[in-house]
Amino acid sequence: TGNGLDLLDKLFYELNVQSKTSDGKKPFMMYIDKIYSVIGVGTVVSGTIRQGTVKKGDKLLLGPTSTGKFIPINVRSIEMHYYKKESAKTGEVVGISLSGVDVSSIKRGMIISDLLYKPQPVREFEAEVSILVHPTTIREGYECTTHIETISETAIFHPLDKEYLSAGDTGKIRMKFKYHPYAIREGQKLIFREGKSKGVGKISKIYKM
């Protein structure tokens, strides 16, 4: 029927198309999607490698924790589709066994990264957003679930260039993660939703803790 094509076009426009070739040369970084405790193996995290290469025995950082710290860890082993690997590269979905951290200390949305990636904990940031669907208006103090990579966290909104935003509007918003800091960077795409409300955007500025 063509119903919703304008929304589909907008979502495609917002997709972040990256070059795996250039990303492969950058310091390793992966957002954690799932966490396991495997008998005989220990703590295992899985996800899609966003950039760089990781090798068995590498020394990495994990975080940020709720206080904004990053924990030193070691790569014990790497597995892809039930096969052991000595290394893994950008774009591959892998499970990585870690030493130096307990499974209870890990949260979905954290990252593991090379020391050269220099991860920073972020609690507040600005974003250029588009409101796709919203029954009323978005004003100061509005809260909704915001998704960035594997991060899924309640964020508090503070419109910057307008008093409020309605469906179809675009604008700049300062956002604050309500409960935990995360490792995010300028240029990353985000989606926010709450009930029938939906919006998309891109991080334009971060405020370091």
Side-chain angles (χ1 to χ4, degrees), residues 62-97:
L62 164 76
T65 65
S66 58
T67 59
K69 295 182 179 179
F70 287 86
I71 304 168
I73 55 170
N74 296 311
V75 176
R76 295 180 60 186
S77 63
I78 303 169
E79 189 174 287
M80 183 176 175
H81 303 308
Y82 304 103
Y83 289 96
K84 298 286 187 181
K85 298 187 61 162
E86 291 298 312
S87 65
K89 62 182 185 298
T90 303
E92 293 184 334
V93 180
V94 295
I96 301 177
S97 172

Side-chain angles (χ1 to χ4, degrees), residues 34-53:
K34 296 179 181 178
I35 307 113
Y36 309 92
S37 181
V38 182
I39 296 175
V41 178
T43 301
V44 176
V45 298
S46 67
T48 303
I49 298 175
R50 295 304 182 195
Q51 64 177 58
T53 300

